[in-house]
Amino acid sequence: MLLLEESLSHLGPSVLLLLQLLLPPASAFFPNIWSLLAAPGSITHQDLTEEAALNVTLQLFLEQPPPGRPPLHLEDFLGRTLLADDLFAAYFGPGFPSRRFRAALGEVSRANAAQDFLPTSKNDPDLHFDAERLGQGHTRLVGALRETLVAARALDHTLARQRLGAALHALQDFYSHSNWVELGKQQPHPHLLWPRRELGSLAQVGDPTCSDCEELSCPENLLGFTLLTSGYFGTHPPKPPGSMGEEINAAKIQARHIVEQRRGSPMEPVHYVLVPFHDPGFGPVFTTSDPDSFWQQLNEIQALGGGDEPEMCLSALELALLHTPPLSDIFVFTDASPKDAFLTNRVESLTQERRCRVTFLVTEDPSRVQHRARREVLSPLRFEPYEAVALASGGEVIFTKDQHIRDVAAIVGDSMADLVTLPLEPPVVVPGKPLVFIVDGLLQRLTVRIHGEVSSFCIRNPAGVCQGQEEGEGPLGHTRRFGQFWMVTMNDPLQKGTWEIQVTAKGTPRVRVQAQTSLDFLFYFGIPVEEGPHPGLYPLTQPVAGLQTQLLVEVTGLGSRGESGDPLPHFSHVVLRGVPKGAELGRVPLEPMGPWERGLLAASLSPTLLSTAGPFSLELIGQDGGGQGLHRAAPQPCSVVPVLLELSGPPGFLAPGTKAPLGLHIASFSGPQDLDLRASVNPSFALTSNLSRVLLEHNESAWGRLWLEVPDSATPDSVVVVTVTAMGREASSVPPTHAFLRLLVLAPAPQDQLAAPAHSSGPVLTTASPGFHPSTLVTRGIAGGGLAGNTWWGTVGGVLLLLGLASW
C-alpha cells in the first residue's frame, strides 16, 4: 500500500518523530522476527517498526474518517495490541483484506532488519551509531532519508521503502546504542533527523566513558559521563580500554476500467507502467503514479501496419519487471509469439523475485498460419515461453479472438483484486477424473474459469447440485461464454464442503477457481545464521540446494474472521507439491511463533525434501474455528536454485562519471558445479568482470569483482539494475541462477561532507548472500560464512500493461 509513502511525504518528520518516541529505554534489539527462534520474547527492530507504523496508521485513520462509515475513536484501541487486520476492519468494514498493506509494511521492516545481515552494513559502525562515530552516523542517517525521498520521486517505491527501513534501523540504534536515555533525556534528539545540524557534546574515542563489561547486559557501567557516547559492537573496530489494434483498444478499456473502479479506494494502484513492443524494438518504459497521465500516454499509442511475427515481448516484460513494484499484476496484450525466447528463464526468475503475476492475453491462435507477415517458419511450440513465464508467476495464458478480447480482459482484470486461487486436486484436468476443491466459511464471490475446447462441464456442490455450461442463470450461479472461455460466478452464500468440477474437452483445458477472502498468507524462506553478533535467519527468495531451510508463514486476516469471540483458524501443516502435475513431495508440521493472533508459523525444510528438480507449490492445511477444513495455496510456485549467488554494492553511492566496484560471490552446497557467469546492466552502462567461469566442488565458494562505469550522461535520481546469471556449460541440466542488484544514481549535494553509501535492495536475488570478501582476484574457500540479508518483500501491486505492436 502507499500508506507508508504517504506518511513519509505528507506527514514529514512527525512520522519519524513518532517512531523515536516509541523506542523503549536503551536496550539491544534483535534484527527481525526470525531472531525469535534464537531468543523468544525479545524486542526486534521489526517489532519497533511495525508498531510505529500501525500507530501512525491509526493516527491517520482517526484524522481522516472513512467516507460513509462512522469515525474511529481512540478509546476503542487503548489497551489493545494494534493489528493491521483490526485497523482495516474498523476503518473499511469487516472482512476487508490487509494483505497488501502488511506486505508493504513487511518490506520496510525487513529492510530494517537486513542492516544486521548485509555484508556492506552489518559491521559498519557508521550505520549503527557504534564506536563513538555518532557524527558520521548522523550524516549517514540524513543521507538515507534523502535517498528515500529521491527513490520515491523516481517512482521506485521498493527502493524507497528499503532505504526507509535502513534509516529506521539507524534511528532505532541511536537510542539503543548511545547513552541518550541514560543522560535523562525525555524527548527525541532535536537535530538527529536534520542535515547541516550538529549533534553536539560528543565523546571521542580516547575519552573514558564506561567500565569494562564482558556480559550480555552491562547495567551501571557508565562513569558518570555527561557527553553523548556510544557502545562498541562486534570486533571491528576494536573497543578501546574503558569505552564502546484490438489488443490496444482492449488494453485502453481495461486500463480505464481499473482506474475508475479503484480510484479513491485502498485497492487503487500506486504504480502504472507501460511498455510497448514490436519487432525489432521495445520500450521505452513509461512509469507514473498518476492514473490520468497513464491513461493519456496509453491513449496516444496507435497500431500502424501489423502482422509482424515474432516480436520482442520478453525483452519488454523484463524491462517492465525491473521498473514495477513487487506483488504487481501484469497484463501482456499481444498477437504474436516471442522472438526473444532465450530470456525465458531470466524473466521467470524476475517474476518470482518480484512476486508479480503475469497474464498473457493472446489473440493469435496457436494453429493459425495465414494472414501474417512472417520472416521464418513458425514452430507450433512458439508460445511455450509465455506458458513457462505464466506458470512461474502464478498467472495464465489465454488465447482468444479479437471480438472477445475486451470481455476476456475485463474478466481477467477483475481477478486482479485481492482474490485467492483455490488449490485443485488434481491440479490439471485428467480425463474421467473430477477436479476437487474445498470451500470454507470464510470464502465468498467464488468464480470458476474454464478455457479450452470444452464440450461440457459440471460444477457440483456438496449437495450434488450441478451448474453446467449453458449460458445464463443456473441453479448455483451465472455462466458466461466468450469463444473458448467460460466464466461461472457462484451465488453467495456458498455451501461449505467438497466441490467437484467435471470437464469433457479436447486437449487439456485450463481450470482456475478463485474466491474473495480475508484469510490468506505470505511466506518467506531463510537460512539459520549462528555465527556473528546477530543470531537469526537470513532471508532467501528461493531455497538453495543442499541447505537446511526454514519456512516462515505469516497468516493475514485473522483479525477479520467475524465476531471477536470466534475461535481462531488454525493451520497445522504445509504441503509441498510438484508443479504442474501436483504430486505431493512432502508434508511438514507448522509451529507457531509467538501468540496465535499474530499469525506467525515456521517449518523446517530439509535438503532432501528440497531436492526436487522442478518447481513446487506451497499449500497450507488446517481448520477454522468450527473444525471445518481450511486449504490455502501460495499464488506462485517456488524453485530450488542450484547455487548461492550474491551481488554486493559499492561503498559509495553511484555518481555520474564514476566507476564503481561490485562484489560477486557464488557457492555450491549440493555437489560439483561448472558454471558460466554472464552480467548485464539496465540501462546499458559499461560493465566488466574478472570472473566469467567457476569450477566449484561441494561446499566450495568463489569470489570475484565487477566494475560498473556510470557515464557523465547518467540521470541523477535514477535506478540501475545489474543482473548476473550463473548457468551450466554446454548441455548441462543445471538450471540458471540469477542475481539482481538495484542501485541508485545520486548526484552529491553541495553541502555533503561525506559521500553517502550506494544502496541497493541488498542482494535482491533468487539466492541468499554470504559475507562479501573484496578482492580483485578469484579466491577459493569453503562455502558459508556470515550470511547477509536481502529485502525483496512486498509492496502495493501496480498495474502493468504490455502492448504488442507493429509500430507506434
Side-chain angles (χ1 to χ4, degrees), residues 298-372:
L298 178 60
N299 209 36
E300 292 176 357
I301 295 180
Q302 302 292 330
L304 303 175
D308 280 344
E309 163 81 37
E311 294 176 342
M312 303 294 286
C313 177
L314 296 186
S315 297
L317 180 54
E318 180 185 35
L319 178 63
L321 283 164
L322 296 175
H323 290 82
T324 195
L327 294 183
S328 294
D329 281 287
I330 298 176
F331 268 158
V332 181
F333 291 82
T334 185
D335 62 352
S337 60
K339 185 177 183 179
D340 43 9
F342 63 92
L343 291 174
T344 301
N345 186 271
R346 194 159 83 187
V347 172
E348 289 179 62
S349 183
L350 258 179
T351 63
Q352 293 185 335
E353 181 263 318
R354 307 299 286 166
R355 296 202 173 185
C356 291
R357 178 174 56 186
V358 182
T359 297
F360 295 86
L361 291 169
V362 185
T363 54
E364 162 74 292
D365 190 297
S367 62
R368 192 170 67 192
V369 294
Q370 68 269 20
H371 307 307
R372 295 192 68 91

Side-chain angles (χ1 to χ4, degrees), residues 209-227:
T209 60
C210 62
S211 60
D212 284 332
C213 175
E214 301 297 332
E215 305 298 327
L216 290 176
S217 180
C218 303
E220 310 298 329
N221 74 321
L222 291 175
L223 301 178
F225 206 67
T226 59
L227 297 180

Side-chain angles (χ1 to χ4, degrees), residues 42-79:
S42 298
I43 297 174
T44 69
H45 282 281
Q46 182 174 341
D47 292 328
L48 296 172
T49 303
E50 293 182 356
E51 181 182 353
L54 289 173
N55 275 282
V56 172
T57 303
L58 175 59
Q59 176 183 328
L60 189 67
F61 284 178
L62 291 171
E63 294 173 353
Q64 300 182 17
R69 288 182 52 79
L72 275 64
H73 300 286
L74 178 61
E75 55 268 20
D76 294 336
F77 296 90
L78 295 177

